[in-house]
Structure formats: structure tokens, C-alpha cells
Amino acid sequence: MSSRSTARSTLLRYRIRLQRLFHFSESHSMLLWAAVVGFLGALATVLFRECIYGLQSLLTGHSGSFVAMAKSLPWWMRLMLPAAGGLLAGAILVLAKRVPSSATSDYMEAVAIGDGNIPVRQSLLRSLSSLATVVSGGSIGREGPMVQLAALAASLVGRFTHFSPARLRLLVACGAAAGITSAYNAPIAGAFFVTEIVLGAIVMESFGPVVVASVVANITMRELPGYHPAYEMPPFPPVAGIEILWFVLLGIMAGVAAPQFLRLLAFSKKLFTRTALPLPPRLALGGLLVGLISIWLPEVWGNGYSVVNSLLHTPWLWWSVLLMLVFKVLATAITTGSGAVGGIFTPTLFVGAAIGYLFGQLLHIVLPDLTSAPFAYAMVGMGAFLAAATSAPLMAILMIFEMTLSYQVVLPLMLSCVVAYFVARSINGASMYDITIKRNRDAQERVRLRGIHMSELIRPADTVLPLTAPFAEISGMFLKYPVKYIYIVDQRNRYCGVVALQDITSCLLEKSETQEKVAADFVRREFLHVVTPEMSLGDALQSFLDHQGERLPVVRSHEDPELLGAVYKTSLLDAYFRLDRSKELHA
């Protein structure tokens, strides 16, 4: 036996012993991988942030606040820099579209309806395009590409370790949670964002790893140099009595305003699409319009962090806030409508803060002795508007609470967020992330129309060996893939049975002679739980119930047992429940 084969057998023996010693299950290992992904997600966000600071310093000699950077530039640079950045961002997007890829670069789609596979080159090019837009003063959030890069890192880890599609999707969700946590210093809200919006349900099997990734990302960010919270929240004043009603009214206002904000973003996209301009000149036009606004109002540059922090700590005149609100919304609509890559999560928080501040100022003028300072309404307004825009009130409540760390804010915040959510849903049910909901419904409809057969769920069977495979090759495959069974085929690729990890384990632990053994010596020919392409979902589900395993081999037919691939229990259950849900939607 070669030294390489001996090493494989030794590694497999040690892995088996460790699993038995520590009673490691798949769930336990998922928590460990989530921690790794949390660490890498934090590093990815820091890398993107440092790239922004470095390019800012290179272009203008300033780094940090985009508003301060804009104010330091002459008017002609405020006009031209966003246009030049848009032109470059558009050119990079053209390159990204030319990169062939069978997977989606959208991490939400990769988790919700994909297999967790995020293309590397396409994602990096889109992040580079976003970097060009952000650095040049585009009115868009930098957190979108940060989360995308964190999710990409998770996808690469899962692919390197040969995760199954279900586990890979969960690992990508952990990466997204790590990115959100790193960007906003809100690990609980980051975890709930992913489970509430991306995964769509809070189940402990998925929520546990997501929480671990968020916590590790937050710890990593705090230990790295240059860490500081995105928003510096002042102490929230005590609220009691009739003032609670004003926060309910603020929730109603946010619930009414959020759908209009989303409609404006959609309308802007339609307008830019109608120009029929190629991407580079279209993004350059968007940058030029933003630059034109910034000549008189440099505060429209960036994602709005510095302006929100100023609203929370310094008094503003009402007309200044109103002017800032109108033109910042316009600049954001122009930037996103032109096709720039980035997030609108942070601009949404800005809009909520400005609406809350204006409402608080009005109340303070009318009822100065019965209302808190305007900044308190700005803080609650951020959460209420976010809840209405995302249709995720629980995430919004937790995010503002984590930012303030004040129990005083909980009662008015909960009321405002819940009221805003129901008001927005009653108007049109729109959400910033409706694209994910729509894709889910489209997928459910496609499954229903294709019929209830297994052919659409077949995946390649990576763990396949011939009857003549030597023991070293069997050991190597068990080391490479975390499976309990390897499928065995004859020379004509006909399914013959399986080799079980349990049998290989016994052979290793008993120190039996393995040099001359091949797969045929271990094959379990009685293992005949198989699936055929024409089998119904219900029959296949019954096979899984009888088998109690994670996957089953797919053969052409019982008469012609050619191995076509494998079907996973998670994919089967997803299709089954999507079909059931689709029938309810169309009833």
C-alpha cells in the first residue's frame, strides 16, 4: 500500500475516533463551520471598508465621512467625480455580465431557491463596481457589497469542504448574517434579518448556526483596529403617558411613507431603463445628476451615516431637515435607478430618521412640555420606517434596540414598528426585498407546473466507485465527502449497492488486512432503496421515511438500474412543501 493510501486510512481512522469521542454530529460540525464563516465574513467587510478609505484618500486626500469629503472639494469635482465613478462602475458591470455563470450572484436567491453556489468572478466584479460608485459619492449603501462578499466567502468554504446543497445554503446564510453584523454592530438583528427575510422561518437547526456566525463576526470586528459603531446613539429619554400615542402616530406615518419611497425607487429604474442607454453612460448620467445636486447640497453624498449622527446629537432647523430629506431621497432614487450596485438599507434608515426628526420637531413646537426631544423620534423613526420598508418588524426592533442598548426605547419602538408594518402591508404589501418573495413564488409555480415527479430534483452523485475500487480509494472518498454510503456501480454504470462507512470503520478499528480488499468485498447488495425519475414526490418521500437517510440514489428504472445521480431529502421536502404552499396560493 502506498504512503498516500496509508495516510488516507490513518486520517479516516482518526476522524472516526474523534467523532465517537466527542459525539460529533452534522449539527455540531455546522456550528463550527458557522464560526469560521463568521470570522471570514468580518474580514471581508473590513477589507471592503479599508478599500473605500484607501481610494478616498488617493482621490481626494480625505477619508471617512463622504459629506466632509464632498465639502472639501471644489464645485466642479463634486459634479464630475460621481459621473466618472458611474462610468467606471457601468463598465465593470458590463464585464460582469459577460462572465459565463450557471449560478446567481445574488446571495438571497442562492439561499432561497438556489443551491448556495455563488459565482466568484461575477460577485467580485459586481463588488468592484459598487466600490467605484460608493467611493465617487454615489447615494447608496456600502453594506450591500459587504454582505455579498461575506456570503461569497461562506460559499467558497462550503464548496471547498463539499457541503451538500442544503448545508451550503445554510452556510451562505451564515455568511450574510456575519456581513450584516459586521456592518451595523448588531449581531442579534443580523441573525434575525437572515432568518426573517432570507430563510423565511426561524427554525433552530438553521437559526443556531446563523447566531454563531453573527456572534463570532461581532467579536472579530471589536478586536480589529478602527472599530466604531455605525451610529452613536444618545441616551433615550423616559417615555410615559400620552406621549406613547405620538409614537403610534409616527408608526402610521412611516407605514404610509415607506411604500411611496419604494414606488419612487421602482419608478426611477423604469425611467432610466426607458432611456435605452448602455450601462456605462446610464450610470454616468446618474452620477452626473447626483453631482449636480451635491453642488448645493453636499450632504447627499454617501449612505447618510454622518447626517443621521448629526441629527441625533445637534439641533437642526426644520426646513434644513426637510430639504435634506427630499434631495437625499431623490439622489438615492437616481443612483439605484441608474443601475448602480449597492444597498438601500442604510439610506432607508436615513429616511426614517429624518421623518421622525421632523415629526418630533412639530410635536415639540405644539406640545413642548409633553414631548421628548426630536432626536428620540428620529431614533424610533429609523426602526419604524425600516420595518415598513422591509416587512421585517422583529428585525427592525432588534436592530434599533441593539444600537441604543436602552430599555426605554423598547415600548415606543415596538408600537411604532408593528403599526408601521401593518399600515404598509395594508396599502400594497411591498417590501425592499419583494424580489426574493417573487422568486420563491415563481419557483413554487414552476414545481407545480412540471408535475410531481423526481426528474427535476436529481443532483450529480459525487460518491460513486466501481466494484474494483481498492480500499485506499474508498477511504479517500470517505475522507473527502461527509457521507455514510458510497454508491457502487459495475462496468456499465449499473447500480449494485453501497459501501457503508460503518463497515469500513469496523475494518479499520479491528486492524484487519486491507491491502487486497476492493469495493466488491464490502458492497451491501441488499441496499435497494432507490428512486426513479418518474416516481412521485409522495412515493419518494415514503422511501426516505423507510430509509432514514439524507439522500438516495436515482436509477433509470428497476429493470435498467443505470445510476443517474442522487436526490437529497432536503430538496425533496422543499419541493413538497413548495408545491403544497403553491396550491394554497392558487386556491
Side-chain angles (χ1 to χ4, degrees):
M1 186 182 293
S2 68
S3 59
R4 186 175 180 181
S5 301
T6 304
R8 284 178 174 175
S9 298
T10 304
L11 282 174
L12 182 59
R13 186 183 296 115
Y14 281 130
R15 194 183 82 178
I16 293 167
R17 286 177 175 174
L18 283 173
Q19 287 177 339
R20 288 187 171 184
L21 178 63
F22 295 104
H23 302 287
F24 260 25
S25 66
E26 189 174 284
S27 299
H28 296 144
S29 65
M30 197 68 208
L31 294 178
L32 293 177
W33 285 115
V36 172
V37 163
F39 175 73
L40 294 177
L43 294 184
T45 58
V46 169
L47 177 63
F48 192 82
R49 183 191 68 192
E50 293 304 316
C51 286
I52 292 174
Y53 291 160
L55 287 174
Q56 277 183 295
S57 181
L58 182 65
L59 289 173
T60 65
H62 295 80
S63 63
S65 167
F66 281 99
V67 174
M69 183 179 84
K71 289 181 178 179
S72 68
L73 298 176
W75 70 268
W76 59 270
M77 279 198 70
R78 290 187 208 170
L79 176 67
M80 298 308 300
L81 188 58
L87 186 66
L88 178 60
I92 297 172
L93 277 182
V94 171
L95 289 177
K97 288 181 179 294
R98 290 177 180 174
V99 174
S101 174
S102 59
T104 174
S105 60
D106 184 347
Y107 75 91
M108 287 191 180
E109 186 176 350
V111 173
I113 62 174
D115 58 1
N117 185 6
I118 300 177
V120 178
R121 285 187 295 174
Q122 196 176 65
S123 295
L124 291 178
L125 285 172
R126 287 178 63 83
S127 297
L128 192 61
S129 173
S130 180
L131 183 64
T133 301
V134 171
V135 169
S136 61
S139 181
I140 204 165
R142 64 188 184 185
E143 293 72 26
M146 285 180 173
V147 177
Q148 182 69 34
L149 288 174
L152 173 62
S155 180
L156 290 175
V157 169
R159 285 151 59 184
F160 179 76
T161 51
H162 300 281
F163 272 26
S164 65
R167 296 183 75 200
L168 183 57
R169 288 198 301 267
L170 178 54
L171 200 66
V172 171
C174 291
I180 294 167
T181 296
S182 303
Y184 292 101
N185 185 37
I188 302 175
F192 273 88
F193 173 89
V194 170
T195 53
E196 195 174 8
I197 295 177
V198 183
L199 296 176
I202 301 175
V203 181
M204 200 59 212
E205 283 75 9
S206 57
F207 187 60
V210 169
V211 168
V212 169
S214 297
V215 170
V216 171
N218 188 253
I219 294 172
T220 304
M221 291 296 296
R222 289 175 179 274
E223 295 299 322
L224 292 174
Y227 167 80
H228 60 84
Y231 299 103
E232 299 172 4
M233 295 290 194
F236 194 85
V239 175
I242 194 172
E243 191 173 3
I244 289 294
L245 297 177
W246 309 143
F247 288 101
V248 173
L249 186 57
L250 175 59
I252 295 173
M253 291 176 58
V256 172
Q260 316 316 319
F261 173 68
L262 298 177
R263 283 196 184 104
L264 177 63
L265 298 183
F267 178 70
S268 177
K269 288 180 181 179
K270 289 181 181 179
L271 285 182
F272 274 96
T273 302
R274 288 175 185 171
T275 63
L277 290 171
L279 271 175
R282 190 194 309 173
L283 267 72
L285 174 61
L288 186 66
L289 293 175
V290 172
L292 189 63
I293 297 173
S294 70
I295 293 177
W296 294 277
L297 205 64
E299 286 84 1
V300 299
W301 273 29
N303 52 19
Y305 277 149
S306 58
V307 179
V308 171
N309 281 317
S310 179
L311 285 174
L312 295 175
H313 293 277
T314 58
W316 279 55
L317 297 172
W318 70 267
W319 58 267
S320 297
V321 180
L322 181 61
L323 189 70
M324 184 69 250
L325 173 62
V326 170
F327 283 98
K328 181 63 178 177
V329 168
L330 182 61
T332 301
I334 290 171
T335 304
T336 58
S338 65
V341 177
I344 57 172
F345 197 97
T346 309
T348 299
L349 290 172
F350 167 84
V351 175
I355 290 175
Y357 194 91
L358 286 170
F359 181 68
Q361 274 193 325
L362 176 62
L363 286 176
H364 208 60
I365 292 173
V366 178
L367 302 168
D369 299 327
L370 297 175
T371 56
S372 302
F375 74 82
Y377 290 87
M379 294 163 72
V380 174
M382 293 169 70
F385 197 81
L386 184 64
T390 61
S391 293
L394 184 58
M395 179 274 297
I397 293 168
L398 290 171
M399 175 162 282
I400 303 303
F401 172 70
E402 282 191 279
M403 289 179 180
T404 61
L405 294 178
S406 169
Y407 284 101
Q408 303 286 352
V409 75
V410 171
L411 182 59
L413 180 64
M414 289 174 65
L415 285 173
S416 288
C417 288
V418 170
V419 168
Y421 166 75
F422 280 108
V423 170
R425 286 292 296 267
S426 66
I427 292 176
N428 66 353
S431 167
M432 255 179 359
Y433 304 107
D434 250 2
I435 183 65
T436 304
I437 299 171
K438 182 180 181 297
R439 285 166 180 162
N440 274 326
R441 289 176 178 170
D442 289 346
Q444 293 162 6
E445 179 65 13
R446 284 197 298 271
V447 171
R448 187 182 73 87
L449 293 175
R450 286 170 179 168
I452 52 174
H453 294 95
M454 302 303 299
S455 56
E456 299 294 334
L457 304 178
I458 299 174
R459 298 290 180 267
D462 298 320
T463 55
V464 182
L465 289 176
L467 285 165
T468 56
F471 185 85
E473 191 172 356
I474 299 171
S475 301
M477 183 160 287
F478 274 124
L479 274 174
K480 186 176 180 181
Y481 296 97
V483 296
K484 295 180 180 179
Y485 300 103
I486 292 174
Y487 302 145
I488 304 300
V489 296
D490 61 14
Q491 293 180 343
R492 296 168 59 186
N493 197 41
R494 292 183 303 182
Y495 176 72
C496 299
V498 300
V499 171
L501 177 61
Q502 180 182 0
D503 297 338
I504 301 300
T505 300
S506 300
C507 188
L508 287 171
L509 295 179
E510 292 170 4
K511 298 183 179 179
S512 303
E513 181 59 40
T514 59
Q515 186 172 359
E516 303 299 328
K517 291 185 179 293
V518 294
D521 297 321
F522 297 96
V523 67
R524 293 186 180 184
R525 297 182 183 272
E526 75 278 6
F527 190 89
L528 297 177
H529 296 284
V530 295
V531 173
T532 60
E534 293 76 22
M535 187 177 287
S536 69
L537 292 181
D539 291 341
L541 185 59
Q542 185 60 51
S543 296
F544 271 108
L545 292 175
D546 296 337
H547 169 51
Q548 296 295 324
E550 172 55 29
R551 61 187 186 132
L552 283 175
V554 181
V555 298
R556 190 173 300 280
S557 67
H558 290 286
E559 295 75 22
D560 178 19
E562 179 188 353
L563 185 66
L564 301 179
V567 62
Y568 289 84
K569 181 191 289 186
T570 50
S571 300
L572 180 68
L573 292 175
D574 284 347
Y576 190 88
F577 288 117
R578 285 176 184 176
L579 175 63
D580 188 55
R581 200 169 165 191
S582 179
K583 289 178 180 177
E584 292 179 3
L585 289 173
H586 292 84

